[in-house]
Amino acid sequence: MAAAKQSTDVNANIPEYEYADVNTKPFHIGSFRNEWLKRLKPSSYSYAREDEDTFDANFAKDIGVSAEMMADLKSVCSVDSLRCHPEDQPPDTDVVPEDPTLKTLIQRKKKQDHKASLKLTKNRHDLYADELERLTFGREPDAVTDLIPEGEVILTVNVYYPAIIDKFSYIRPHMTLLMTGSHSLAELRDAICCVSDLQVCGEFSSTPDMAPDFISKDHFKSAFFFFEGVFYNDMRFPECQDISMTTIEWAKACNFPPYSQSKMEDTRFADLTVKVGFPYLYCHQGDCEHLVIITDVRLAHKNDCLDKKLYPLLTHKHRVITKKCTICHVFIGRWFTTNDQFAPSDPCLFCDKCFRMLHYDADGNKLGDFLAYPYVDPGAFN
């Protein structure tokens, strides 16, 4: 097995656009990090926070002004001087003047008026996202051993919906994760939420109360990532199989360039050669395929979440409209049936309550000849 090779050319490890504003040329993440550390002063990526006087002095030196000019700039550009209300009134950041002249306030006023026209308030998902951002911004760990090392690289990874429904190809990512260079691909795999992993195999019309022995993720553990001609297979468990071999043999038979293989649990992000902005592949459950796009590679900053225990760090998750029961239109679907004489359609989606009321008597005996399968709504991850 062979992993991606590291280039010895220094310039090859500095990202350049392959297609403008689309994706870069391939570069080695670990070498890119090393090039940054060679060029930057340790103070540029240090987590140590400067006191205000030191910051002002360094800033004045960088822009080439005197200390007196710096003091004047601080006074003129102070936040206290940016006010839309009389000085004797407390500020209200939610209130925007009716006829603002500042362009930022004009845009904010338009956004506020648009939100007001929708007559919608933040739901619990938006509130949770805001709370998550507040809790992780600049968060430091309780133990020093859990601190992300200075100079560590952080990647932004977008994971898209599986390519089984056309409209999913055109919407925003399902989830966005922050990963460090020391994370393995197996840790990324464990952080990806997909409804396919929760599916329950089998027909349960005769035994609806019987708890299944496993979900799909427990039984079908094989998966792989595909980055730059290398299949990174999950081989952590005895049940895992090399599901990339079929593609490799097909490519060989068709005289395509050869592909190599490696284990995802042994591969860190710092070991990868990738293109930023380029779509790669994550495949699991046999044929459930997700696009994976690395959109950013940078050094850790003191305002980042510095607690390594919180990584992989979820920063965004797209919400899906849940599918309601066909009968009551209130509860989320839990069962779908086929060959069902009691259903208005075939197949038909039922919540648990309607399903049992229509298909079983008071003693729990099955009525009619139908087939019932557990249904996991994609909105379960909301």
Side-chain angles (χ1 to χ4, degrees):
M1 293 188 178
K5 295 182 179 179
Q6 178 178 349
S7 175
T8 56
D9 183 5
V10 174
N11 293 328
N13 297 318
I14 300 176
E16 296 180 355
Y17 273 121
E18 183 176 31
Y19 298 100
D21 299 326
V22 178
N23 65 265
T24 68
K25 295 179 180 179
F27 66 96
H28 188 266
I29 294 177
S31 300
F32 175 54
R33 168 184 174 271
N34 295 336
E35 292 299 327
W36 266 118
L37 297 182
K38 289 178 183 177
R39 288 164 168 77
L40 292 175
K41 299 177 181 179
S43 59
S44 299
Y45 53 86
S46 172
Y47 299 153
R49 300 184 183 273
E50 294 179 323
D51 60 83
E52 187 174 357
D53 293 337
T54 303
F55 176 83
D56 292 346
N58 292 334
F59 187 75
K61 181 179 179 181
D62 291 338
I63 63 176
V65 298
S66 63
E68 293 78 10
M69 178 64 73
M70 185 65 191
D72 292 339
L73 287 174
K74 285 188 64 177
S75 176
V76 173
C77 300
S78 172
V79 176
D80 296 333
S81 64
L82 299 175
R83 62 175 66 246
C84 303
H85 54 85
E87 295 186 8
D88 57 346
Q89 292 183 6
D92 188 349
T93 56
D94 293 328
V95 176
V96 179
E98 290 297 328
D99 298 313
T101 56
L102 193 63
K103 289 187 176 181
T104 53
L105 290 181
I106 293 174
Q107 295 300 321
R108 186 173 183 183
K109 182 64 176 176
K110 289 181 179 179
K111 190 172 183 180
Q112 282 189 350
D113 293 342
H114 175 67
K115 284 188 175 182
S117 66
L118 297 177
K119 298 181 180 180
L120 293 175
T121 58
K122 284 191 175 183
N123 57 33
R124 65 180 186 274
H125 308 297
D126 292 327
L127 292 174
Y128 170 74
D130 291 346
E131 181 183 4
L132 181 64
E133 182 177 0
R134 289 196 300 270
L135 290 175
T136 56
F137 179 80
R139 180 167 178 174
E140 298 183 359
D142 297 329
V144 179
T145 54
D146 294 327
L147 181 70
I148 292 179
E150 293 182 349
E152 177 64 283
V153 67
I154 292 182
L155 300 91
T156 303
V157 183
N158 285 345
V159 182
Y160 288 77
Y161 284 96
I164 55 176
I165 300 178
D166 290 340
K167 69 176 183 179
F168 282 170
S169 303
Y170 306 104
I171 62 176
R172 67 187 66 180
H174 176 208
M175 58 194 308
T176 301
L177 296 163
L178 295 183
M179 310 287 298
T180 67
S182 58
H183 276 113
S184 68
L185 290 177
E187 291 173 294
L188 172 60
R189 193 229 163 156
D190 293 339
I192 295 175
C193 299
C194 179
V195 70
S196 298
D197 288 331
L198 299 182
Q199 298 296 333
V200 178
C201 302
E203 196 275 320
F204 295 90
S205 61
S206 300
T207 55
D209 296 322
M210 186 182 74
D213 294 333
F214 57 85
I215 58 176
S216 296
K217 187 174 184 179
D218 297 330
H219 193 68
F220 306 106
K221 298 182 178 181
S222 303
F224 68 78
F225 288 99
F226 180 73
F227 291 97
E228 292 300 314
V230 183
F231 288 94
Y232 297 94
N233 292 284
D234 190 347
M235 305 299 291
R236 290 175 291 174
F237 308 99
E239 305 94 327
C240 291
Q241 301 179 15
D242 184 357
I243 60 176
S244 67
M245 186 56 67
T246 302
T247 304
I248 293 175
E249 292 177 351
W250 170 83
K252 184 177 181 180
C254 296
N255 294 323
F256 283 105
Y259 297 121
S260 56
Q261 298 167 288
S262 187
K263 295 181 180 180
M264 68 168 67
E265 60 269 26
D266 296 336
T267 305
R268 302 178 307 146
F269 276 95
D271 302 327
L272 292 178
T273 296
V274 298
K275 301 177 183 179
V276 170
F278 191 82
Y280 294 106
L281 177 66
Y282 165 58
C283 180
H284 66 129
Q285 298 300 321
D287 60 353
C288 187
E289 299 178 346
H290 301 254
L291 289 182
V292 175
I293 301 179
I294 298 174
T295 60
D296 190 22
V297 180
R298 60 180 177 81
L299 295 182
H301 187 266
K302 57 188 174 184
N303 289 334
D304 285 316
C305 176
L306 301 180
D307 190 346
K308 65 172 64 175
K309 293 188 300 182
L310 298 180
Y311 286 80
L313 183 61
L314 177 68
T315 61
H316 165 79
K317 181 177 286 186
H318 182 244
R319 300 191 306 275
V320 181
I321 297 176
T322 55
K323 296 181 180 179
K324 299 296 191 293
C325 171
T326 308
I327 305 302
C328 67
H329 300 286
V330 175
F331 300 108
I332 297 176
R334 293 286 303 277
W335 298 89
F336 75 90
T337 63
T338 59
N339 192 29
D340 188 355
Q341 60 181 330
F342 304 110
S345 62
D346 189 8
C348 189
L349 191 63
F350 294 91
C351 67
D352 192 65
K353 185 175 181 179
C354 294
F355 172 72
R356 295 177 185 275
M357 289 178 62
L358 282 172
H359 297 91
Y360 301 92
D361 60 21
D363 297 325
N365 298 315
K366 179 180 176 181
L367 303 175
D369 185 17
F370 63 92
L371 301 178
Y373 304 90
Y375 172 75
V376 181
D377 194 281
F381 290 114
N382 287 347

